[in-house]
Amino acid sequence: MTRIAILGYGTIGKGVAKMIDLLKDKYDLKLAKVLDLPSKKDELGDLLAANIDEIANDESIDIVVEVLGGNDFAYMCTKKCLLAKKSVVTANKEVVSNNIKELYKLAQENGVNYLFEASVGGGIPLIRPLIENIKINDITSICGILNGTTNYMLTKMQEDGLTFAEALKLAQVNGFAEADPSADLKGLDMVRKISILTNIAYKTYIDPKNVYHYGIENVTKDILADIKTRGYVLRFVAQSSLVGNDVTVRVEPTLVKPTHPFASVCNEFNSCMLDCTTNDKILFYGKGAGSIPTATAVAGDIIQIVENKAFYEYNPVNDYEVNKLSNNGNMYYVVGDTSDIKPDLSDEELSKYKFYARIF
Amino acid sequence: MTRIAILGYGTIGKGVAKMIDLLKDKYDLKLAKVLDLPSKKDELGDLLAANIDEIANDESIDIVVEVLGGNDFAYMCTKKCLLAKKSVVTANKEVVSNNIKELYKLAQENGVNYLFEASVGGGIPLIRPLIENIKINDITSICGILNGTTNYMLTKMQEDGLTFAEALKLAQVNGFAEADPSADLKGLDMVRKISILTNIAYKTYIDPKNVYHYGIENVTKDILADIKTRGYVLRFVAQSSLVGNDVTVRVEPTLVKPTHPFASVCNEFNSCMLDCTTNDKILFYGKGAGSIPTATAVAGDIIQIVENKAFYEYNPVNDYEVNKLSNNGNMYYVVGDTSDIKPDLSDEELSKYKFYARIF
């Protein structure tokens, strides 16, 4: 039997508990402990652990699922569990993007797994195919719509004519946007996700703090009407490319033609395209957010561990630098007093406009 | 060291040899034998095996890659190798779709693997994510553009205005279409691929012979112009769905709106969409044909075996029937003396038209 603890009993934690229940007979799983606030005692009963040490010190627990969110406490808990030789499965992109190098090494040293399929692209199988892929390909670029909330908003604005405020409200009502949506709107959520993919794909470590991002807060109905007239669709895109030893990673509004695969990625769906040296382009698409898609990704990682098919594959042999100055060759749609299309603008020049989007 | 034999030294076999060479140091692989005609002696030297027994009886060979094409001889060779306790990796969709039940069982009984990631979707990771997926989801429908040749032709006809004959010629010149392209044009190639996906997804076995297929040979420039006027794009699509105990599998020309994800699948690219009970829709996209994409899929399977992460996962516990009579609720675009759109046509009614396409 594999005994599992869940750290954090919020939307995703509850989804994970549901998946464990669904799979418990087939894979001989048992939910043994849950860490959350004492106020959850009524709901959780004896499952509720008093603190992380109760879980880390419990030798009968094999796998810990970390779905706390936030960095510091979650990082501390992860470290304790790995040191106690428990595999950790997580959906926490903040912890993974900040600490992947250290936590992966710690897992290896302790003979356990640190798996995070759920941290990028929710229910889309993405991390594992990427890891399989780099065994036989080099990847030269990654490009993705990796945030369900903002893609939902942009879809509702462009297809149903909602204002930014209305679209945000609707996203919140439908459970896609957080009460404080700024990490989504400013692109910080995608910074974390593209950093994780970049690290795995290029076998390097980049600090998410060095990733350029420009948000969608200044998008208006007028701007979207103008973009439509010009024959484009607006998407919020994270992009990462490797040229020589330079990694360029940017998260910014992006215009695509209606025939581009990203144009048909609507609502809370996500998509990610890889450019590979032997396989050419590969694209994945699916639900990027929500309790159940994320919980299925966590469940997939648990099954990998149970079946002994998990892996240590993050091996940052390369020491690439994030290059901030490579806008040459790019075309930009810019909005000042009027709108225009211009090539090769620096980040400083771009910052002077009310709004801009890169053109794919 | 893992010693590998390749059966068939054509385009794909050569691609596999190249991949083995590329990966030999990292995964300690060695190409030990190749089975092909005696006329390849100059090219292959001592690698050339005289017959399949020389490979099946060679105890030092661990993995056999079957890329012969065709059914009977390839099936016989596969059987001999599995019985001799060698894992077999194949790209041969004909053998897999016809014999998956028997060959999988044989592999299990002999403690080896029978893997076929390369048989569907070439360089797209598809079989393995599907197998992972069904551990945590039920799949209710599969829908794919799974033939690179015909998608290339339809793209060239719709985007560049080529006639059917010109598009076929161009596909042949560019190495996508076989000298005898009828298996592609009539949809037989997709019948095999959708049968494989159906078998895995629904844990059943369906005989490809029972799968309905209608080809694209009657597409003309006039028909495509009419389809465009009606606001659609023509794609050649394989579809499989499960309702109760009835499996409906059909391969037929299909009209999609320009906003449908399949509309942006152009040229030799393939795409496959799954409807899952918990993950909702998942889509994969990538190069479906060609020596190198196919060889990378074979290489991926080899690495799975080397890393001991391969699996027996085809478990046909369900005994579903292929249902031929479920066109109800479908809309069809039909071309007789004029073109029209009609609901609920039976296959017999459809067969009276010059051309038809299902409307998605």
Side-chain angles (χ1 to χ4, degrees), chain A residues 178-215:
Chain A
E178 316 263 340
D180 175 5
S182 62
D184 290 335
L185 300 178
K186 288 182 194 306
L188 204 56
D189 177 76
M190 280 210 276
V191 164
R192 291 166 185 151
K193 290 169 174 168
I194 193 74
S195 298
I196 295 171
L197 298 179
T198 295
N199 288 335
I200 296 172
Y202 309 150
K203 300 169 189 166
T204 189
Y205 177 75
I206 58 153
D207 190 329
K209 281 189 215 73
N210 295 333
V211 174
Y212 175 92
H213 59 109
Y214 175 71

mmCIF file of all heavy atoms in Angstrom, chain A residues 178-215:
data_model
loop_
_atom_site.group_PDB
_atom_site.id
_atom_site.type_symbol
_atom_site.label_atom_id
_atom_site.label_comp_id
_atom_site.label_asym_id
_atom_site.label_seq_id
_atom_site.Cartn_x
_atom_site.Cartn_y
_atom_site.Cartn_z
ATOM 1 N N GLU A 178 -8.291 34.442 -9.361
ATOM 2 C CA GLU A 178 -8.163 34.605 -7.915
ATOM 3 C C GLU A 178 -8.774 35.949 -7.497
ATOM 4 O O GLU A 178 -8.960 36.842 -8.321
ATOM 5 C CB GLU A 178 -6.669 34.645 -7.533
ATOM 6 C CG GLU A 178 -5.809 33.622 -8.201
ATOM 7 C CD GLU A 178 -5.586 32.395 -7.334
ATOM 8 O OE1 GLU A 178 -5.770 32.506 -6.114
ATOM 9 O OE2 GLU A 178 -5.256 31.338 -7.886
ATOM 10 N N ALA A 179 -9.023 36.078 -6.188
ATOM 11 C CA ALA A 179 -9.507 37.351 -5.653
ATOM 12 C C ALA A 179 -8.511 38.460 -6.007
ATOM 13 O O ALA A 179 -8.894 39.547 -6.430
ATOM 14 C CB ALA A 179 -9.685 37.256 -4.143
ATOM 15 N N ASP A 180 -7.216 38.163 -5.840
ATOM 16 C CA ASP A 180 -6.187 39.091 -6.316
ATOM 17 C C ASP A 180 -5.595 38.514 -7.603
ATOM 18 O O ASP A 180 -4.728 37.647 -7.563
ATOM 19 C CB ASP A 180 -5.084 39.260 -5.265
ATOM 20 C CG ASP A 180 -3.944 40.122 -5.803
ATOM 21 O OD1 ASP A 180 -4.063 40.656 -6.930
ATOM 22 O OD2 ASP A 180 -2.921 40.244 -5.101
ATOM 23 N N PRO A 181 -6.053 39.002 -8.745
ATOM 24 C CA PRO A 181 -5.664 38.366 -10.013
ATOM 25 C C PRO A 181 -4.372 38.918 -10.600
ATOM 26 O O PRO A 181 -4.023 38.589 -11.733
ATOM 27 C CB PRO A 181 -6.837 38.717 -10.930
ATOM 28 C CG PRO A 181 -7.311 40.047 -10.440
ATOM 29 C CD PRO A 181 -6.980 40.125 -8.966
ATOM 30 N N SER A 182 -3.629 39.742 -9.835
ATOM 31 C CA SER A 182 -2.525 40.463 -10.476
ATOM 32 C C SER A 182 -1.425 39.532 -11.002
ATOM 33 O O SER A 182 -0.824 39.816 -12.035
ATOM 34 C CB SER A 182 -1.962 41.534 -9.542
ATOM 35 O OG SER A 182 -1.453 40.914 -8.386
ATOM 36 N N ALA A 183 -1.154 38.406 -10.336
ATOM 37 C CA ALA A 183 -0.110 37.494 -10.826
ATOM 38 C C ALA A 183 -0.472 36.952 -12.207
ATOM 39 O O ALA A 183 0.396 36.718 -13.049
ATOM 40 C CB ALA A 183 0.105 36.338 -9.851
ATOM 41 N N ASP A 184 -1.769 36.745 -12.448
ATOM 42 C CA ASP A 184 -2.210 36.308 -13.767
ATOM 43 C C ASP A 184 -2.120 37.454 -14.778
ATOM 44 O O ASP A 184 -1.552 37.300 -15.856
ATOM 45 C CB ASP A 184 -3.664 35.809 -13.706
ATOM 46 C CG ASP A 184 -3.789 34.488 -12.944
ATOM 47 O OD1 ASP A 184 -2.793 33.742 -12.897
ATOM 48 O OD2 ASP A 184 -4.874 34.224 -12.412
ATOM 49 N N LEU A 185 -2.697 38.610 -14.412
ATOM 50 C CA LEU A 185 -2.811 39.726 -15.359
ATOM 51 C C LEU A 185 -1.462 40.300 -15.770
ATOM 52 O O LEU A 185 -1.266 40.701 -16.908
ATOM 53 C CB LEU A 185 -3.677 40.842 -14.757
ATOM 54 C CG LEU A 185 -5.113 40.454 -14.396
ATOM 55 C CD1 LEU A 185 -5.847 41.634 -13.769
ATOM 56 C CD2 LEU A 185 -5.865 39.976 -15.642
ATOM 57 N N LYS A 186 -0.527 40.344 -14.832
ATOM 58 C CA LYS A 186 0.797 40.899 -15.135
ATOM 59 C C LYS A 186 1.707 39.877 -15.814
ATOM 60 O O LYS A 186 2.814 40.191 -16.230
ATOM 61 C CB LYS A 186 1.463 41.382 -13.847
ATOM 62 C CG LYS A 186 0.851 42.651 -13.268
ATOM 63 C CD LYS A 186 1.629 43.068 -12.021
ATOM 64 C CE LYS A 186 0.858 44.120 -11.211
ATOM 65 N NZ LYS A 186 0.456 45.309 -11.976
ATOM 66 N N GLY A 187 1.276 38.613 -15.845
ATOM 67 C CA GLY A 187 2.079 37.602 -16.516
ATOM 68 C C GLY A 187 3.019 36.843 -15.602
ATOM 69 O O GLY A 187 3.802 36.004 -16.049
ATOM 70 N N LEU A 188 2.942 37.123 -14.290
ATOM 71 C CA LEU A 188 3.873 36.486 -13.361
ATOM 72 C C LEU A 188 3.650 34.975 -13.274
ATOM 73 O O LEU A 188 4.595 34.190 -13.148
ATOM 74 C CB LEU A 188 3.689 37.120 -11.975
ATOM 75 C CG LEU A 188 4.885 37.035 -11.044
ATOM 76 C CD1 LEU A 188 6.114 37.642 -11.697
ATOM 77 C CD2 LEU A 188 4.572 37.764 -9.732
ATOM 78 N N ASP A 189 2.390 34.570 -13.361
ATOM 79 C CA ASP A 189 2.073 33.144 -13.360
ATOM 80 C C ASP A 189 2.740 32.461 -14.556
ATOM 81 O O ASP A 189 3.339 31.387 -14.420
ATOM 82 C CB ASP A 189 0.547 32.971 -13.419
ATOM 83 C CG ASP A 189 0.124 31.520 -13.507
ATOM 84 O OD1 ASP A 189 0.171 30.825 -12.478
ATOM 85 O OD2 ASP A 189 -0.242 31.073 -14.616
ATOM 86 N N MET A 190 2.659 33.103 -15.717
ATOM 87 C CA MET A 190 3.298 32.509 -16.907
ATOM 88 C C MET A 190 4.817 32.575 -16.833
ATOM 89 O O MET A 190 5.503 31.712 -17.384
ATOM 90 C CB MET A 190 2.787 33.192 -18.170
ATOM 91 C CG MET A 190 1.422 32.655 -18.582
ATOM 92 S SD MET A 190 1.153 32.730 -20.347
ATOM 93 C CE MET A 190 0.591 34.402 -20.513
ATOM 94 N N VAL A 191 5.354 33.606 -16.159
ATOM 95 C CA VAL A 191 6.810 33.671 -15.962
ATOM 96 C C VAL A 191 7.283 32.402 -15.256
ATOM 97 O O VAL A 191 8.272 31.779 -15.643
ATOM 98 C CB VAL A 191 7.190 34.927 -15.135
ATOM 99 C CG1 VAL A 191 8.607 34.807 -14.588
ATOM 100 C CG2 VAL A 191 7.044 36.189 -15.973
ATOM 101 N N ARG A 192 6.538 32.018 -14.217
ATOM 102 C CA ARG A 192 6.933 30.818 -13.462
ATOM 103 C C ARG A 192 6.846 29.567 -14.328
ATOM 104 O O ARG A 192 7.738 28.721 -14.324
ATOM 105 C CB ARG A 192 6.025 30.663 -12.233
ATOM 106 C CG ARG A 192 6.287 31.743 -11.200
ATOM 107 C CD ARG A 192 5.185 31.814 -10.160
ATOM 108 N NE ARG A 192 5.421 32.945 -9.265
ATOM 109 C CZ ARG A 192 4.461 33.633 -8.641
ATOM 110 N NH1 ARG A 192 3.184 33.308 -8.809
ATOM 111 N NH2 ARG A 192 4.770 34.638 -7.852
ATOM 112 N N LYS A 193 5.757 29.473 -15.090
ATOM 113 C CA LYS A 193 5.558 28.272 -15.903
ATOM 114 C C LYS A 193 6.580 28.170 -17.030
ATOM 115 O O LYS A 193 7.151 27.101 -17.263
ATOM 116 C CB LYS A 193 4.138 28.261 -16.450
ATOM 117 C CG LYS A 193 3.092 28.020 -15.355
ATOM 118 C CD LYS A 193 1.692 28.289 -15.870
ATOM 119 C CE LYS A 193 0.629 27.921 -14.832
ATOM 120 N NZ LYS A 193 -0.698 28.446 -15.209
ATOM 121 N N ILE A 194 6.817 29.277 -17.717
ATOM 122 C CA ILE A 194 7.785 29.212 -18.829
ATOM 123 C C ILE A 194 9.204 28.997 -18.281
ATOM 124 O O ILE A 194 10.043 28.371 -18.941
ATOM 125 C CB ILE A 194 7.684 30.460 -19.752
ATOM 126 C CG1 ILE A 194 8.440 30.241 -21.057
ATOM 127 C CG2 ILE A 194 8.212 31.716 -19.083
ATOM 128 C CD1 ILE A 194 7.780 29.332 -22.041
ATOM 129 N N SER A 195 9.459 29.472 -17.061
ATOM 130 C CA SER A 195 10.774 29.211 -16.453
ATOM 131 C C SER A 195 10.974 27.715 -16.223
ATOM 132 O O SER A 195 12.048 27.178 -16.489
ATOM 133 C CB SER A 195 10.906 29.945 -15.113
ATOM 134 O OG SER A 195 10.824 31.332 -15.306
ATOM 135 N N ILE A 196 9.936 27.060 -15.729
ATOM 136 C CA ILE A 196 10.028 25.613 -15.483
ATOM 137 C C ILE A 196 10.287 24.874 -16.796
ATOM 138 O O ILE A 196 11.198 24.044 -16.899
ATOM 139 C CB ILE A 196 8.732 25.085 -14.808
ATOM 140 C CG1 ILE A 196 8.573 25.711 -13.417
ATOM 141 C CG2 ILE A 196 8.750 23.555 -14.715
ATOM 142 C CD1 ILE A 196 7.218 25.419 -12.756
ATOM 143 N N LEU A 197 9.508 25.196 -17.825
ATOM 144 C CA LEU A 197 9.691 24.524 -19.121
ATOM 145 C C LEU A 197 11.074 24.820 -19.699
ATOM 146 O O LEU A 197 11.742 23.933 -20.241
ATOM 147 C CB LEU A 197 8.611 24.976 -20.110
ATOM 148 C CG LEU A 197 7.159 24.646 -19.731
ATOM 149 C CD1 LEU A 197 6.198 25.182 -20.793
ATOM 150 C CD2 LEU A 197 6.956 23.140 -19.573
ATOM 151 N N THR A 198 11.513 26.072 -19.570
ATOM 152 C CA THR A 198 12.835 26.475 -20.065
ATOM 153 C C THR A 198 13.935 25.672 -19.382
ATOM 154 O O THR A 198 14.858 25.166 -20.032
ATOM 155 C CB THR A 198 13.040 27.982 -19.801
ATOM 156 O OG1 THR A 198 12.089 28.707 -20.580
ATOM 157 C CG2 THR A 198 14.445 28.434 -20.156
ATOM 158 N N ASN A 199 13.827 25.549 -18.066
ATOM 159 C CA ASN A 199 14.852 24.824 -17.308
ATOM 160 C C ASN A 199 14.972 23.371 -17.755
ATOM 161 O O ASN A 199 16.070 22.846 -17.920
ATOM 162 C CB ASN A 199 14.523 24.865 -15.811
ATOM 163 C CG ASN A 199 14.757 26.249 -15.227
ATOM 164 O OD1 ASN A 199 15.558 27.024 -15.757
ATOM 165 N ND2 ASN A 199 14.057 26.568 -14.157
ATOM 166 N N ILE A 200 13.832 22.729 -17.959
ATOM 167 C CA ILE A 200 13.866 21.327 -18.370
ATOM 168 C C ILE A 200 14.332 21.199 -19.808
ATOM 169 O O ILE A 200 15.219 20.410 -20.131
ATOM 170 C CB ILE A 200 12.480 20.687 -18.202
ATOM 171 C CG1 ILE A 200 12.110 20.676 -16.721
ATOM 172 C CG2 ILE A 200 12.461 19.259 -18.753
ATOM 173 C CD1 ILE A 200 10.697 20.254 -16.471
ATOM 174 N N ALA A 201 13.757 22.010 -20.676
ATOM 175 C CA ALA A 201 14.033 21.867 -22.106
ATOM 176 C C ALA A 201 15.494 22.138 -22.440
ATOM 177 O O ALA A 201 16.092 21.429 -23.241
ATOM 178 C CB ALA A 201 13.128 22.798 -22.903
ATOM 179 N N TYR A 202 16.061 23.180 -21.826
ATOM 180 C CA TYR A 202 17.437 23.549 -22.176
ATOM 181 C C TYR A 202 18.454 23.042 -21.159
ATOM 182 O O TYR A 202 19.636 23.396 -21.217
ATOM 183 C CB TYR A 202 17.574 25.077 -22.301
ATOM 184 C CG TYR A 202 16.553 25.741 -23.193
ATOM 185 C CD1 TYR A 202 16.150 27.052 -22.947
ATOM 186 C CD2 TYR A 202 15.999 25.089 -24.295
ATOM 187 C CE1 TYR A 202 15.210 27.689 -23.759
ATOM 188 C CE2 TYR A 202 15.064 25.716 -25.098
ATOM 189 C CZ TYR A 202 14.662 27.004 -24.823
ATOM 190 O OH TYR A 202 13.736 27.635 -25.619
ATOM 191 N N LYS A 203 17.989 22.250 -20.199
ATOM 192 C CA LYS A 203 18.881 21.690 -19.174
ATOM 193 C C LYS A 203 19.722 22.776 -18.515
ATOM 194 O O LYS A 203 20.951 22.715 -18.492
ATOM 195 C CB LYS A 203 19.794 20.618 -19.795
ATOM 196 C CG LYS A 203 19.013 19.461 -20.395
ATOM 197 C CD LYS A 203 19.913 18.560 -21.228
ATOM 198 C CE LYS A 203 19.060 17.543 -21.978
ATOM 199 N NZ LYS A 203 19.753 16.853 -23.042
ATOM 200 N N THR A 204 19.042 23.769 -18.000
ATOM 201 C CA THR A 204 19.731 24.898 -17.404
ATOM 202 C C THR A 204 18.945 25.357 -16.190
ATOM 203 O O THR A 204 17.972 24.720 -15.792
ATOM 204 C CB THR A 204 19.883 26.032 -18.437
ATOM 205 O OG1 THR A 204 20.737 27.044 -17.921
ATOM 206 C CG2 THR A 204 18.540 26.645 -18.805
ATOM 207 N N TYR A 205 19.396 26.419 -15.529
ATOM 208 C CA TYR A 205 18.554 27.045 -14.524
ATOM 209 C C TYR A 205 18.511 28.541 -14.769
ATOM 210 O O TYR A 205 19.552 29.207 -14.802
ATOM 211 C CB TYR A 205 19.026 26.787 -13.093
ATOM 212 C CG TYR A 205 18.138 27.536 -12.117
ATOM 213 C CD1 TYR A 205 16.851 27.083 -11.834
ATOM 214 C CD2 TYR A 205 18.545 28.750 -11.549
ATOM 215 C CE1 TYR A 205 15.998 27.798 -11.005
ATOM 216 C CE2 TYR A 205 17.694 29.465 -10.711
ATOM 217 C CZ TYR A 205 16.422 28.983 -10.454
ATOM 218 O OH TYR A 205 15.570 29.703 -9.653
ATOM 219 N N ILE A 206 17.314 29.073 -14.952
ATOM 220 C CA ILE A 206 17.169 30.525 -15.041
ATOM 221 C C ILE A 206 16.306 30.988 -13.875
ATOM 222 O O ILE A 206 15.369 30.313 -13.474
ATOM 223 C CB ILE A 206 16.531 30.957 -16.375
ATOM 224 C CG1 ILE A 206 15.148 30.316 -16.567
ATOM 225 C CG2 ILE A 206 17.425 30.622 -17.554
ATOM 226 C CD1 ILE A 206 14.240 31.114 -17.441
ATOM 227 N N ASP A 207 16.667 32.144 -13.343
ATOM 228 C CA ASP A 207 15.903 32.701 -12.230
ATOM 229 C C ASP A 207 14.664 33.405 -12.788
ATOM 230 O O ASP A 207 14.796 34.300 -13.626
ATOM 231 C CB ASP A 207 16.799 33.702 -11.484
ATOM 232 C CG ASP A 207 16.175 34.135 -10.168
ATOM 233 O OD1 ASP A 207 14.920 34.176 -10.077
ATOM 234 O OD2 ASP A 207 16.942 34.430 -9.232
ATOM 235 N N PRO A 208 13.459 33.015 -12.328
ATOM 236 C CA PRO A 208 12.246 33.664 -12.841
ATOM 237 C C PRO A 208 12.286 35.189 -12.694
ATOM 238 O O PRO A 208 11.652 35.898 -13.469
ATOM 239 C CB PRO A 208 11.111 33.061 -12.006
ATOM 240 C CG PRO A 208 11.680 31.959 -11.208
ATOM 241 C CD PRO A 208 13.156 31.956 -11.364
ATOM 242 N N LYS A 209 13.047 35.665 -11.718
ATOM 243 C CA LYS A 209 13.134 37.122 -11.515
ATOM 244 C C LYS A 209 13.704 37.835 -12.737
ATOM 245 O O LYS A 209 13.467 39.026 -12.942
ATOM 246 C CB LYS A 209 14.024 37.434 -10.308
ATOM 247 C CG LYS A 209 13.327 37.259 -8.972
ATOM 248 C CD LYS A 209 14.210 37.789 -7.847
ATOM 249 C CE LYS A 209 14.064 36.955 -6.591
ATOM 250 N NZ LYS A 209 14.718 35.611 -6.698
ATOM 251 N N ASN A 210 14.486 37.131 -13.540
ATOM 252 C CA ASN A 210 15.107 37.761 -14.705
ATOM 253 C C ASN A 210 14.254 37.699 -15.969
ATOM 254 O O ASN A 210 14.708 38.096 -17.029
ATOM 255 C CB ASN A 210 16.453 37.088 -15.000
ATOM 256 C CG ASN A 210 17.444 37.320 -13.883
ATOM 257 O OD1 ASN A 210 17.356 38.330 -13.174
ATOM 258 N ND2 ASN A 210 18.375 36.396 -13.706
ATOM 259 N N VAL A 211 13.058 37.179 -15.842
ATOM 260 C CA VAL A 211 12.229 37.017 -17.045
ATOM 261 C C VAL A 211 11.371 38.263 -17.285
ATOM 262 O O VAL A 211 10.635 38.712 -16.410
ATOM 263 C CB VAL A 211 11.329 35.766 -16.920
ATOM 264 C CG1 VAL A 211 10.359 35.682 -18.095
ATOM 265 C CG2 VAL A 211 12.187 34.507 -16.861
ATOM 266 N N TYR A 212 11.487 38.795 -18.481
ATOM 267 C CA TYR A 212 10.717 39.981 -18.879
ATOM 268 C C TYR A 212 9.235 39.638 -18.977
ATOM 269 O O TYR A 212 8.865 38.629 -19.560
ATOM 270 C CB TYR A 212 11.225 40.453 -20.238
ATOM 271 C CG TYR A 212 10.419 41.597 -20.815
ATOM 272 C CD1 TYR A 212 10.786 42.926 -20.588
ATOM 273 C CD2 TYR A 212 9.285 41.351 -21.579
ATOM 274 C CE1 TYR A 212 10.044 43.971 -21.110
ATOM 275 C CE2 TYR A 212 8.534 42.392 -22.098
ATOM 276 C CZ TYR A 212 8.916 43.699 -21.853
ATOM 277 O OH TYR A 212 8.177 44.723 -22.366
ATOM 278 N N HIS A 213 8.384 40.485 -18.414
ATOM 279 C CA HIS A 213 6.946 40.273 -18.603
ATOM 280 C C HIS A 213 6.193 41.596 -18.670
ATOM 281 O O HIS A 213 6.519 42.551 -17.971
ATOM 282 C CB HIS A 213 6.351 39.369 -17.522
ATOM 283 C CG HIS A 213 6.521 39.878 -16.122
ATOM 284 N ND1 HIS A 213 5.480 40.365 -15.368
ATOM 285 C CD2 HIS A 213 7.621 39.961 -15.332
ATOM 286 C CE1 HIS A 213 5.923 40.726 -14.179
ATOM 287 N NE2 HIS A 213 7.223 40.490 -14.129
ATOM 288 N N TYR A 214 5.213 41.612 -19.559
ATOM 289 C CA TYR A 214 4.359 42.789 -19.738
ATOM 290 C C TYR A 214 2.921 42.297 -19.798
ATOM 291 O O TYR A 214 2.611 41.373 -20.541
ATOM 292 C CB TYR A 214 4.760 43.511 -21.035
ATOM 293 C CG TYR A 214 3.872 44.682 -21.381
ATOM 294 C CD1 TYR A 214 3.909 45.862 -20.623
ATOM 295 C CD2 TYR A 214 2.997 44.622 -22.459
ATOM 296 C CE1 TYR A 214 3.083 46.936 -20.949
ATOM 297 C CE2 TYR A 214 2.176 45.697 -22.790
ATOM 298 C CZ TYR A 214 2.226 46.855 -22.013
ATOM 299 O OH TYR A 214 1.410 47.914 -22.330
ATOM 300 N N GLY A 215 2.059 42.895 -18.996
ATOM 301 C CA GLY A 215 0.722 42.346 -18.781
ATOM 302 C C GLY A 215 -0.337 42.819 -19.756
ATOM 303 O O GLY A 215 -0.058 43.520 -20.722
#
